[in-house]
Amino acid sequence: MDTHPTPEETPYDRLGGDQAVRRIIDRFYDLMDEVPEYYAVRKLHPTDLAGSRDKLYMFLSGWLGGPQLYVEKFGHPMLRARHLPFAIGTAERDGWIACMKQAMEECGVDAKLREWLMQSLSGTADWMRNKQD
Ligand code: HEM
C-alpha cells in the first residue's frame, strides 16, 4: 500500500486526525519530561508544560493539513522568531528530533509516514538553531 499522503488524504487524516495528533504531542512532552537525554530541551521549557502542549498540538494540526488551530488563535506562526528567546544549538535540535521520533514510534505511527514526517520536521528543527555550539 502506498503510504504517502495523497491530495485527497492529508497527513492529518492518515495519522488518525485530532485524537492521534493530541496523543503524539502528549507523549512527546511526557517523554521530554521523563527521559534524561531530553533534558537539554526540557530545561528551556516552562515548569508547567500545559501551554507548550496546547500550542504544539494546535500548530501541528494545521501543519499536517488539518484545522489551522494555531493560526486562528495566534496568527502567523513566525516559528524562528518565536524561538529566538531560547538558546537552540545542535544538542537541543537533536534532542527535540529524537523525542518526537520516539513519541511517534510509541504511538504506532506507520513507519513510512513517520519517516516522511520526521524528515520534514527535522528540517524545521534545524532551521530553529540560533546559537553557535
Ligand atoms: C529545535 C528544537 C526546538 C526547541 C529546543 C524548542 C523549544 C521551544 C520552547 C522552549 C518553546 C516555548 C514553550 C512555551 O512557551 O510554553 C517552544 C514553543 C513552540 N515550538 Fe518549539 N522548539 C524546537 C523545535 C520546534 C519545532 C521543530 C516546531 C514545529 C514543528 C516547534 C513548534 C513550536 C511552537 C508552535 C511553539 C509555540 C510558539 C508560541 O506560540 O509561543 N518547535 N519551542
Side-chain angles (χ1 to χ4, degrees):
M1 189 170 84
D2 182 8
T3 50
H4 282 272
T6 63
E8 298 77 35
E9 194 183 32
T10 62
Y12 178 84
D13 296 329
R14 189 124 208 139
L15 272 174
D18 182 72
Q19 283 195 351
V21 177
R22 187 89 235 190
R23 196 161 62 240
I24 292 165
I25 297 311
D26 276 339
R27 191 63 196 136
F28 173 75
Y29 281 110
D30 286 348
L31 287 167
M32 194 192 284
D33 212 22
E34 291 162 11
V35 178
E37 282 76 9
Y38 305 143
Y39 183 66
V41 185
R42 175 63 185 94
K43 72 173 195 282
L44 299 176
H45 287 76
T47 311
D48 182 352
L49 289 170
S52 314
R53 283 179 202 267
D54 279 348
K55 285 177 178 169
L56 190 55
Y57 152 74
M58 288 190 275
F59 175 80
L60 283 183
S61 169
W63 185 84
L64 289 161
Q68 293 284 344
L69 305 175
Y70 184 94
V71 175
E72 281 161 19
K73 189 154 184 193
F74 301 109
H76 193 288
M78 302 183 297
L79 275 192
R80 197 165 193 287
R82 289 197 208 258
H83 284 76
L84 286 179
F86 313 106
I88 301 177
T90 51
E92 292 78 12
R93 175 200 65 189
D94 292 346
W96 193 101
I97 292 170
C99 188
M100 184 59 81
K101 183 166 175 279
Q102 187 176 347
M104 286 200 192
E105 280 167 3
E106 289 188 13
C107 289
V109 176
D110 167 87
K112 277 264 169 60
L113 178 60
R114 198 173 67 219
E115 203 176 299
W116 188 78
L117 292 173
M118 283 313 304
Q119 201 174 342
S120 195
L121 285 171
S122 299
T124 308
D126 186 56
W127 176 59
M128 234 60 88
R129 276 187 304 129
N130 55 27
K131 73 160 184 185
Q132 292 285 327
D133 291 310

